[in-house]
Amino acid sequence: SIIHKENNQWLKIAVFFLLLLLTSAFSFYIFKSYREMSDLYVNSNYRSWLKWGSEKYPYNNMRKAIQAASRKKMDSVSIHLKNGEYVGSIEIPENIKIYGESREGVVLKSNEPSPVSIVTMKNNSLIANLTVIGGITGILAEEQATIENCSIKEFKKIAIDASSSESEIIVKNSEIAYGKGKGLYAQRGRKIQII
Protein backbone atom coordinates (compact mmCIF):
# COMPACT_ATOMS: atom_id res chain seq x y z
CA SER A 1 0.00 0.00 0.00
CA ILE A 2 2.85 2.41 0.87
CA ILE A 3 4.70 1.39 -2.32
CA HIS A 4 1.51 1.88 -4.33
CA LYS A 5 1.07 5.42 -2.91
CA GLU A 6 4.71 6.28 -3.74
CA ASN A 7 4.28 5.01 -7.31
CA ASN A 8 1.13 7.13 -7.71
CA GLN A 9 2.97 10.16 -6.38
CA TRP A 10 5.86 9.65 -8.83
CA LEU A 11 3.38 9.13 -11.65
CA LYS A 12 1.63 12.41 -10.79
CA ILE A 13 4.98 14.23 -10.72
CA ALA A 14 5.99 12.69 -14.07
CA VAL A 15 2.66 13.68 -15.67
CA PHE A 16 2.97 17.22 -14.25
CA PHE A 17 6.47 17.66 -15.72
CA LEU A 18 5.40 16.14 -19.04
CA LEU A 19 2.49 18.61 -19.25
CA LEU A 20 4.83 21.46 -18.28
CA LEU A 21 7.28 20.42 -21.02
CA LEU A 22 4.51 20.17 -23.64
CA THR A 23 3.06 23.56 -22.61
CA SER A 24 6.50 25.17 -22.82
CA ALA A 25 7.16 23.65 -26.25
CA PHE A 26 3.74 24.80 -27.53
CA SER A 27 4.26 28.32 -26.11
CA PHE A 28 7.69 28.53 -27.75
CA TYR A 29 6.21 27.40 -31.08
CA ILE A 30 3.43 30.03 -30.89
CA PHE A 31 5.90 32.77 -29.88
CA LYS A 32 8.27 31.81 -32.73
CA SER A 33 5.38 31.77 -35.24
CA TYR A 34 4.22 35.18 -34.00
CA ARG A 35 7.72 36.67 -34.29
CA GLU A 36 7.98 35.44 -37.89
CA MET A 37 4.62 36.90 -39.01
CA SER A 38 5.32 39.72 -41.48
CA ASP A 39 1.60 40.43 -41.95
CA LEU A 40 -0.64 41.62 -39.13
CA TYR A 41 -4.41 42.07 -39.32
CA VAL A 42 -6.77 44.54 -37.66
CA ASN A 43 -10.56 44.53 -37.58
CA SER A 44 -12.21 47.33 -35.58
CA ASN A 45 -15.39 45.23 -35.29
CA TYR A 46 -13.66 42.11 -33.89
CA ARG A 47 -14.86 41.39 -30.34
CA SER A 48 -13.34 38.04 -29.28
CA TRP A 49 -10.97 37.94 -26.28
CA LEU A 50 -8.20 36.30 -28.39
CA LYS A 51 -6.39 39.04 -30.31
CA TRP A 52 -3.31 37.59 -31.96
CA GLY A 53 -2.87 39.83 -35.02
CA SER A 54 -3.47 36.94 -37.40
CA GLU A 55 -6.15 36.94 -40.07
CA LYS A 56 -8.33 34.61 -37.99
CA TYR A 57 -7.68 36.37 -34.63
CA PRO A 58 -6.97 40.01 -35.58
CA TYR A 59 -6.30 42.96 -33.32
CA ASN A 60 -9.22 45.35 -32.95
CA ASN A 61 -6.97 48.32 -32.26
CA MET A 62 -4.61 49.72 -34.90
CA ARG A 63 -2.19 51.17 -32.34
CA LYS A 64 -1.62 47.70 -30.86
CA ALA A 65 -0.86 46.37 -34.34
CA ILE A 66 1.61 49.22 -34.97
CA GLN A 67 3.31 48.57 -31.61
CA ALA A 68 3.57 44.85 -32.41
CA ALA A 69 4.89 45.59 -35.92
CA SER A 70 7.55 47.99 -34.62
CA ARG A 71 8.88 45.29 -32.25
CA LYS A 72 9.48 42.86 -35.11
CA LYS A 73 13.03 42.61 -36.44
CA MET A 74 12.12 42.50 -40.14
CA ASP A 75 12.87 44.60 -43.21
CA SER A 76 9.18 45.32 -43.70
CA VAL A 77 5.90 44.55 -41.92
CA SER A 78 2.44 44.95 -43.46
CA ILE A 79 -0.70 45.76 -41.48
CA HIS A 80 -4.03 44.95 -43.14
CA LEU A 81 -7.13 46.86 -42.01
CA LYS A 82 -10.60 45.41 -42.47
CA ASN A 83 -13.35 47.84 -43.41
CA GLY A 84 -14.37 49.93 -40.42
CA GLU A 85 -13.68 53.15 -38.56
CA TYR A 86 -10.34 53.56 -36.76
CA VAL A 87 -10.33 56.43 -34.30
CA GLY A 88 -7.18 58.14 -33.02
CA SER A 89 -4.06 59.75 -34.45
CA ILE A 90 -1.31 57.32 -35.42
CA GLU A 91 2.40 57.35 -36.20
CA ILE A 92 3.58 54.79 -38.75
CA PRO A 93 7.16 53.76 -37.90
CA GLU A 94 9.92 53.10 -40.41
CA ASN A 95 9.42 50.20 -42.86
CA ILE A 96 5.76 49.61 -41.96
CA LYS A 97 3.07 49.49 -44.61
CA ILE A 98 -0.65 49.84 -43.91
CA TYR A 99 -3.22 48.52 -46.41
CA GLY A 100 -6.94 49.13 -46.11
CA GLU A 101 -9.46 46.60 -47.40
CA SER A 102 -11.09 49.34 -49.50
CA ARG A 103 -10.62 53.07 -49.91
CA GLU A 104 -14.18 54.01 -48.91
CA GLY A 105 -14.55 51.27 -46.30
CA VAL A 106 -11.51 52.03 -44.09
CA VAL A 107 -11.72 55.41 -42.35
CA LEU A 108 -9.00 56.89 -40.12
CA LYS A 109 -10.08 59.84 -38.00
CA SER A 110 -9.36 61.37 -34.63
CA ASN A 111 -11.57 61.77 -31.59
CA GLU A 112 -9.59 64.87 -30.56
CA PRO A 113 -11.13 68.25 -31.50
CA SER A 114 -8.04 69.43 -33.46
CA PRO A 115 -5.22 66.87 -33.68
CA VAL A 116 -2.06 68.15 -35.35
CA SER A 117 -2.11 65.26 -37.83
CA ILE A 118 -4.20 62.12 -38.18
CA VAL A 119 -1.31 60.13 -39.72
CA THR A 120 2.43 60.76 -39.30
CA MET A 121 4.58 58.69 -41.66
CA LYS A 122 8.22 57.82 -40.96
CA ASN A 123 10.90 56.64 -43.43
CA ASN A 124 9.92 54.01 -46.00
CA SER A 125 6.32 53.81 -44.78
CA LEU A 126 3.22 53.38 -46.92
CA ILE A 127 -0.54 53.79 -46.61
CA ALA A 128 -2.90 52.47 -49.26
CA ASN A 129 -6.64 51.98 -49.86
CA LEU A 130 -8.09 54.11 -47.06
CA THR A 131 -9.63 57.48 -46.18
CA VAL A 132 -8.16 60.01 -43.73
CA ILE A 133 -10.67 62.48 -42.27
CA GLY A 134 -9.93 65.61 -40.23
CA GLY A 135 -6.93 66.99 -38.39
CA ILE A 136 -5.13 70.27 -38.80
CA THR A 137 -2.97 68.18 -41.15
CA GLY A 138 -4.38 64.97 -42.60
CA ILE A 139 -1.01 63.32 -43.28
CA LEU A 140 2.43 64.48 -42.16
CA ALA A 141 4.91 62.65 -44.42
CA GLU A 142 8.38 62.64 -42.88
CA GLU A 143 11.34 61.23 -44.84
CA GLN A 144 10.39 58.75 -47.62
CA ALA A 145 6.67 57.93 -47.70
CA THR A 146 4.14 56.56 -50.19
CA ILE A 147 0.42 57.41 -50.21
CA GLU A 148 -1.51 55.26 -52.66
CA ASN A 149 -5.21 55.10 -53.53
CA CYS A 150 -6.23 57.23 -50.52
CA SER A 151 -8.73 60.02 -49.85
CA ILE A 152 -7.73 62.87 -47.52
CA LYS A 153 -10.75 64.94 -46.47
CA GLU A 154 -12.02 67.65 -44.12
CA PHE A 155 -8.56 68.82 -42.98
CA LYS A 156 -8.27 72.27 -41.39
CA LYS A 157 -4.95 73.43 -42.86
CA ILE A 158 -3.03 70.90 -45.02
CA ALA A 159 -4.07 67.57 -46.53
CA ILE A 160 -0.50 66.25 -47.07
CA ASP A 161 2.43 68.05 -45.41
CA ALA A 162 5.69 67.04 -47.10
CA SER A 163 7.89 69.79 -45.71
CA SER A 164 9.99 68.13 -43.03
CA SER A 165 12.99 66.67 -44.94
CA GLU A 166 14.73 66.30 -48.28
CA SER A 167 13.71 62.76 -49.16
CA GLU A 168 10.94 61.57 -51.45
CA ILE A 169 7.17 61.39 -51.19
CA ILE A 170 5.04 59.54 -53.73
CA VAL A 171 1.30 60.22 -54.04
CA LYS A 172 -0.53 57.82 -56.39
CA ASN A 173 -4.17 57.72 -57.45
CA SER A 174 -5.31 59.72 -54.42
CA GLU A 175 -7.96 62.35 -53.76
CA ILE A 176 -7.79 65.52 -51.67
CA ALA A 177 -11.21 67.03 -50.99
CA TYR A 178 -13.43 69.17 -48.71
CA GLY A 179 -10.52 70.74 -46.82
CA LYS A 180 -9.99 74.34 -45.76
CA GLY A 181 -6.33 74.88 -46.71
CA LYS A 182 -3.56 73.56 -48.92
CA GLY A 183 -3.89 70.19 -50.63
CA LEU A 184 -0.16 69.42 -50.69
CA TYR A 185 2.55 71.48 -49.01
CA ALA A 186 6.23 70.88 -49.75
CA GLN A 187 9.38 72.92 -49.25
CA ARG A 188 12.33 73.31 -51.58
CA GLY A 189 14.55 70.25 -51.76
CA ARG A 190 11.74 67.76 -51.32
CA LYS A 191 11.28 65.25 -54.15
CA ILE A 192 7.61 64.81 -55.00
CA GLN A 193 5.97 62.37 -57.38
CA ILE A 194 2.26 62.81 -58.02
CA ILE A 195 0.82 60.08 -60.20
Side-chain angles (χ1 to χ4, degrees), residues 81-106:
L81 305 177
K82 287 294 254 180
N83 285 343
E85 194 171 277
Y86 298 85
V87 179
S89 302
I90 60 164
E91 182 176 296
I92 305 171
E94 185 173 7
N95 298 323
I96 293 181
K97 297 165 181 20
I98 296 181
Y99 298 94
E101 184 177 2
S102 70
R103 181 165 160 170
E104 296 78 23
V106 176

Side-chain angles (χ1 to χ4, degrees), residues 177-188:
Y178 311 113
K180 294 182 180 174
K182 298 172 178 70
L184 179 81
Y185 178 69
Q187 290 184 348
R188 184 177 178 179

